[in-house]
Amino acid sequence: MSNKQSIKNLDSYTHVRGESLYVDDVNIRQGTFHAVVFDSPKAHGHIKHIDYSKAEALEGVVRIFTYKDIPGKNQIGGIIPDEPLFAEDEVHFWGMPIALIVAETEFIARKARSLIDIDIEELPVITTAKQAKAKGSFINAPRSFSLGDTEKGFAACDYIFEGETFSNGQEHLYIEAQGAYAEPLENGNVKITSSTQGPTAVQKTTAQVLGVAMHKIEVDVTRLGGGFGGKEDQATPWAVMAALATYHLNQSVKLILNRHDDLRMTGKRHPYESTYKIGLSKDLKILAYQAEFLQNSGAAADLSPAIAERTLFHATNSYFVPNVETTVISCKTNLPPNTAFRGFGGPQGMFVIESAIAKAAHEIGVTPRQIQEANLLDENDTFSYGQIAKQVEAKNTWNSATTLYNIEALEQEVEDFNKQHSDFKKGLALMPVTFGISFTNTPMNHARALVHIYLDGSVGISTAAVEMGQGVNTKMMQIAAQVFSIPIEHIKIETTNTTRVANTSPSAASSTADLNGKATLKACNALLQRLKQVASEDLKVSEDTIELKDGFVYCNGKKSELSWTTLISKTMLKRVALTENAHYATPEIHFDKTKEKGHPFAYHVYGTAIITTTVDCTRGTYEFDSVKIVHDYGKSMSEGIDLGQVEGALAQGIGWMTMEEIAYNDDGKLLSNALSTYKIPDIFSVPKEVEVIPVDTKGHDLAILKSKAVGEPPLMYGIGAYFAIQNAIKAFNPNYNLKFHAPMTPEKVLLSLYDNQLI
Ligand code: LUZ
Ligand code: MOS
């Protein structure tokens, strides 16, 4: 049954056998064509001329599609309509799609691509947010949140510090690259199998580009080989392109990006250049905080405005600051449009206040821990966006972590080690995390579930949830198994399909299990009510004495003869519906953008991590000795899955902060364009020890079965890795000038170790 201790991600069985299906595994129709995208070889310029003749003449090339072949709108922008599917007269980033080459094989299409001649008159290239700001190149108007009165706040401060920070982008590096397979159905209808987090976005955008009604486009998703936000918006163009070719050719078309194309053409986590001003009282209370975040949005809006907003929501992390003023500016540059990435702007905001605290601690001569601890969020504190903090676990997770893991002893160990060693130094940092759960755009917080009980008692469930390794399908099965009290093997989760569950929000914002789980729960409960009624008539007892347990009907706690399967056939004979469709919309949440105030989050997730590192001071390399976490799962419904989410997110956060270095040259060309030049954490670089203790809490009613969202929050524990390394550097080199420029790569560590030193 659905025992939460023993439940595994049920996808793991087909994963380890290599039987799990991805887009590239779809059985393709005979005669399917293969497509490759021709993209801009310059970051900014006027297209003067393109010669496709040699490519078109190549044997096996079917056709090359450009914007001229678009029957509807050449527009794929979501929040702001500022992004063409294919470039027309201008290119705005290196890797911007210009044409789709369709051929009999992918090899031929690729060869054809190399035969295209393009002449671009180059225009000035902007690669950083600061350059964009200087030139007045923006996506939209800036946004600001404020609380209290920062002027008065700073006037009352004993200490005031200002500084600058930078955090770089991050490549999603989902194992399964972007891709889609489109096939023609009758009457000009198109079915798309897509590796997308947002099937409805694919459907809607395809309909818009083709100039057809949405009902003509069906999108189906079995699962993704990872998304991490990279497939929330940016799975769409490839699906639309494949559908466009299918529409014209009346033949199936497969378009799967290879890794190089994917790295070059897709956006990443947004780099941020930020400035801050922090003011503290003598007793280390943060009385005022100001920050300006320059977001490098890339060449089009994509999800940037929503991501910018979440930066503001999380700008004070787990701290209560009475006077806050934060502004975010989405800067338009000539990079691929940057996009959603686990944390969605939140991590970028948190890095800045943690930097401000580290700087203040250094200048005042206290530990960052003292400042962090003095300012943790309390029950009924107000966030800068007006929401009142409830069921706050900031202090609880912090105190649990520092007590259970004995922070004094850990700090002493680090100090002793550093006294005894001159060529290796240890550093320790604490990282508290507070993350709001819900799409910040309130209207997106809804989902539906369609539940069928089949004649034989087996159950099929369709929701809007996209399985991408996070185990959401297993959680949906647990819910149905629990409500019906039948073995989990009787339940199947269907593919995510726009004809079964329509008008969906993407699987994102850590909210997929909550939203779709609540809808599933509602549908299952409605069916259960109906079944109980049939059982009560059959057993001639009153309905409220009836319970379903272990595959049987129980009456007043006593097992009856009536089994689940018999009950189902009796229900069918009585012509009672065995199907239910339920809709769930998160209650209580609202947000007023004209005031920048409201209650946007259903609840918050809290936690605290203690990270310890050892730096090799001759080489600049480092290892993470341990990460000790106290995390707020609520009441986890699937402990193994949730632990997996914490561990994976932590590794991804550490990677972002310490080793993954995206590099573009001044011409806007991606230099970190392969796994030889872009380093993600591997088995050797993940922490030697990761311990996670669940904080003991009641859980939250808006979380599915009180089991809180777990996808994104733990990523931000990784921010502590930056400061742990910095503390180790300080132990080696007292003259080191604190820098807040992530990632802290070994190269930077080495330079910092010998910063201002006469060697
Ligand atoms: N996607 C989105 C997200 O569209 N809105 C959000 O608030 C969000 N938050 C986190 C991750 N993805
Ligand atoms: Mo997201 S960053 O697609 O939850």
Side-chain angles (χ1 to χ4, degrees):
M1 202 117 333
S2 56
N3 183 311
K4 69 172 183 176
Q5 271 81 31
S6 63
I7 195 81
K8 280 186 189 171
N9 183 338
L10 295 166
D11 264 13
S12 54
Y13 299 98
T14 51
H15 284 352
V16 296
R17 294 194 195 103
E19 293 167 2
S20 297
L21 297 179
Y22 300 88
V23 175
D24 209 11
D25 302 312
V26 171
N27 272 320
I28 58 173
R29 295 194 199 192
Q30 200 168 15
T32 293
F33 295 133
H34 299 264
V36 163
V37 179
F38 170 64
D39 59 301
S40 174
K42 296 290 171 199
H44 194 197
H46 289 293
I47 299 174
K48 288 178 69 182
H49 182 69
I50 309 179
D51 181 2
Y52 293 109
S53 61
K54 276 181 274 173
E56 280 164 340
L58 188 69
E59 167 114 22
V61 170
V62 177
R63 195 169 148 184
I64 298 176
F65 296 94
T66 69
Y67 73 93
K68 292 176 186 156
D69 301 295
I70 290 175
K73 284 192 196 144
N74 182 22
Q75 183 53 248
I76 60 168
I79 297 178
I80 299 173
D82 67 349
E83 189 178 0
L85 178 68
F86 292 124
E88 298 190 5
D89 306 326
E90 282 196 359
V91 287
H92 295 282
F93 64 92
W94 200 301
M96 181 174 182
I98 296 172
L100 186 74
I101 305 152
V102 178
E104 284 164 13
T105 68
E106 185 186 330
F107 181 80
I108 295 170
R110 221 162 263 293
K111 176 131 195 246
R113 180 166 75 177
S114 70
L115 300 175
I116 298 172
D117 286 320
I118 182 163
D119 185 7
I120 293 175
E121 183 193 344
E122 290 184 57
L123 293 167
V125 172
I126 302 174
T127 58
T128 71
K130 260 191 197 158
Q131 291 165 1
K133 191 185 174 203
K135 291 192 173 181
S137 171
F138 304 116
I139 296 286
N140 58 352
R143 294 270 300 273
S144 297
F145 285 9
S146 73
L147 181 72
D149 183 337
T150 47
E151 206 174 306
K152 278 192 192 148
F154 281 118
C157 288
D158 297 297
Y159 309 106
I160 295 177
F161 307 103
E162 293 181 66
E164 278 189 3
T165 72
F166 173 76
S167 61
N168 206 336
Q170 185 176 23
E171 170 55 46
H172 301 86
L173 224 97
Y174 24 64
I175 291 179
E176 180 199 27
Q178 303 276 7
Y181 171 68
E183 46 191 320
L185 306 177
E186 57 186 20
N187 295 320
N189 301 328
V190 178
K191 179 177 174 186
I192 305 168
T193 305
S194 168
S195 179
T196 181
Q197 292 173 239
T200 293
V202 169
Q203 180 194 22
K204 178 172 171 246
T205 311
T206 303
Q208 174 174 297
V209 171
L210 296 187
V212 302
M214 278 175 75
H215 70 195
K216 296 188 82 70
I217 309 297
E218 172 185 349
V219 180
D220 190 82
V221 184
T222 300
R223 70 162 64 65
L224 318 186
F228 311 115
K231 295 170 181 173
E232 182 174 338
D233 232 33
Q234 298 207 0
T236 299
W238 330 108
V240 177
M241 288 178 203
L244 176 72
T246 290
Y247 171 92
H248 283 291
L249 300 169
N250 199 33
Q251 178 57 282
S252 298
V253 174
K254 188 168 173 176
L255 168 56
I256 307 235
L257 302 192
N258 73 10
R259 186 61 67 183
H260 282 287
D261 287 358
D262 187 306
L263 292 172
R264 187 175 67 254
M265 295 178 197
T266 65
K268 304 162 200 321
R269 184 190 292 287
H270 294 74
Y272 271 58
E273 290 168 279
S274 310
T275 50
Y276 65 81
K277 182 174 171 185
I278 189 169
L280 302 93
S281 65
K282 270 216 163 52
D283 56 356
L284 305 181
K285 286 275 182 205
I286 304 172
L287 299 184
Y289 180 65
Q290 269 176 341
E292 183 181 79
F293 305 101
L294 298 187
Q295 178 195 60
N296 187 335
S297 314
D302 192 276
L303 292 162
S304 296
I307 292 159
E309 181 181 70
R310 200 176 263 280
T311 301
L312 299 185
F313 283 118
H314 297 313
T316 53
N317 190 16
S318 295
Y319 311 108
F320 172 66
V321 183
N323 304 292
V324 185
E325 212 174 284
T326 51
T327 297
V328 64
I329 308 176
S330 296
C331 301
K332 193 169 182 167
T333 62
N334 298 110
L335 300 186
N338 285 315
T339 193
F341 196 131
R342 208 171 190 172
F344 207 73
Q348 289 95 320
M350 292 186 197
F351 177 67
V352 179
I353 192 155
E354 294 302 327
S355 297
I357 288 171
K359 167 90 171 175
H362 180 77
E363 297 292 335
I364 298 170
V366 296
T367 63
R369 172 158 81 93
Q370 288 170 278
I371 298 181
Q372 290 172 312
E373 203 163 82
N375 293 281
L376 290 171
L377 199 68
D378 229 330
E379 197 71 11
N380 296 321
D381 279 342
T382 307
F383 290 103
S384 69
Y385 45 94
Q387 184 160 347
I388 309 295
K390 295 282 177 192
Q391 285 185 250
V392 180
E393 306 289 356
K395 286 189 175 168
N396 190 6
T397 57
W398 178 280
N399 293 337
S400 302
T402 51
T403 312
L404 293 169
Y405 297 120
N406 195 350
I407 188 72
E408 274 88 15
L410 288 173
E411 284 175 343
Q412 193 59 51
E413 255 173 59
V414 168
E415 208 181 308
D416 292 347
F417 179 95
N418 287 347
K419 274 196 199 123
Q420 288 154 14
H421 296 80
S422 54
D423 47 357
F424 285 86
K425 295 290 179 189
K426 281 190 191 292
L428 177 150
L430 284 94
M431 182 64 198
V433 170
T434 297
F435 197 79
I437 302 303
S438 289
F439 287 95
T440 58
N441 183 23
T442 302
M444 291 172 77
N445 293 282
H446 61 84
R448 280 154 301 287
L450 176 66
V451 179
H452 298 312
I453 304 174
Y454 292 99
L455 283 179
D456 63 356
S458 63
V459 175
I461 301 177
S462 298
T463 73
V466 170
E467 175 61 52
M468 47 190 137
Q470 86 280 44
V472 70
N473 283 358
T474 304
K475 289 187 175 181
M476 298 304 104
M477 285 192 260
Q478 282 181 268
I479 292 163
Q482 186 174 319
V483 174
F484 298 140
S485 197
I486 55 175
I488 213 153
E489 296 73 38
H490 287 23
I491 298 158
K492 178 190 173 201
I493 303 296
E494 305 291 350
T495 61
T496 315
N497 185 298
T498 53
T499 65
R500 273 180 270 111
V501 180
N503 309 328
T504 65
S505 289
S507 287
S510 304
S511 301
T512 314
D514 277 358
L515 297 174
N516 294 280
K518 290 272 189 178
T520 301
L521 188 62
K522 212 166 151 183
C524 291
N525 276 328
L527 285 164
L528 178 68
Q529 268 330 103
R530 248 174 255 163
L531 295 173
K532 278 185 174 175
Q533 199 178 340
V534 172
S536 84
E537 285 166 22
D538 191 70
L539 297 171
K540 300 188 174 56
V541 294
S542 97
E543 210 180 302
D544 49 15
T545 63
I546 289 196
E547 206 187 346
L548 263 64
K549 222 167 86 184
D550 304 335
F552 277 86
V553 175
Y554 279 64
C555 184
N556 283 322
K558 258 187 64 200
K559 188 172 173 180
S560 77
E561 297 284 283
L562 191 54
S563 72
W564 166 261
T565 38
T566 315
L567 175 61
I568 297 305
S569 23
K570 290 195 169 175
T571 308
M572 195 65 201
L573 288 174
K574 283 182 177 288
R575 297 185 294 165
V576 170
L578 287 170
T579 288
E580 182 68 13
N581 180 33
H583 172 79
Y584 174 77
T586 314
E588 296 170 29
I589 52 172
H590 56 87
F591 194 72
D592 181 349
K593 280 194 188 179
T594 64
K595 299 194 174 76
E596 302 289 27
K597 296 283 178 193
H599 184 109
F601 298 119
Y603 58 88
H604 289 81
V605 170
Y606 300 89
T608 298
I610 306 171
I611 299 186
T612 318
T613 185
T614 304
V615 172
D616 178 334
C617 301
T618 325
R619 296 178 179 81
T621 53
Y622 42 77
E623 290 181 340
F624 297 100
D625 309 327
S626 71
V627 180
K628 296 170 189 290
I629 297 170
V630 172
H631 185 80
D632 169 23
Y633 295 104
K635 297 277 178 212
S636 174
M637 65 183 285
S638 327
E639 288 170 359
I641 289 172
D642 288 352
L643 176 62
Q645 285 293 298
V646 173
E647 291 173 342
L650 171 69
Q652 206 162 29
I654 291 177
W656 171 54
M657 276 285 114
T658 69
M659 61 188 79
E660 301 183 36
E661 191 167 36
I662 291 191
Y664 291 93
N665 69 11
D666 291 341
D667 295 331
K669 180 182 185 180
L670 181 70
L671 301 177
S672 50
N673 65 349
L675 287 180
S676 53
T677 47
Y678 186 77
K679 179 86 187 84
I680 63 159
D682 57 19
I683 194 68
F684 300 105
S685 48
V686 295
K688 301 216 160 359
E689 184 196 346
V690 178
E691 247 190 284
V692 189
I693 298 176
V695 72
D696 188 20
T697 77
K698 297 199 299 283
H700 197 284
D701 286 336
L702 294 184
I704 180 66
L705 304 177
K706 295 187 185 287
S707 180
K708 283 190 172 181
V710 71
E712 296 172 289
L715 181 132
M716 283 147 275
Y717 294 138
I719 294 172
Y722 186 96
F723 297 97
I725 293 177
Q726 186 166 69
N727 290 335
I729 295 169
K730 276 168 66 172
F732 181 81
N733 176 10
N735 295 331
Y736 157 69
N737 273 329
L738 264 62
K739 281 175 209 65
F740 303 101
H741 196 282
M744 184 68 100
T745 56
E747 193 180 356
K748 278 193 211 154
V749 174
L750 192 63
L751 291 172
S752 302
L753 287 166
Y754 300 96
D755 197 10
N756 295 320
Q757 294 266 70
L758 295 172
I759 322 171

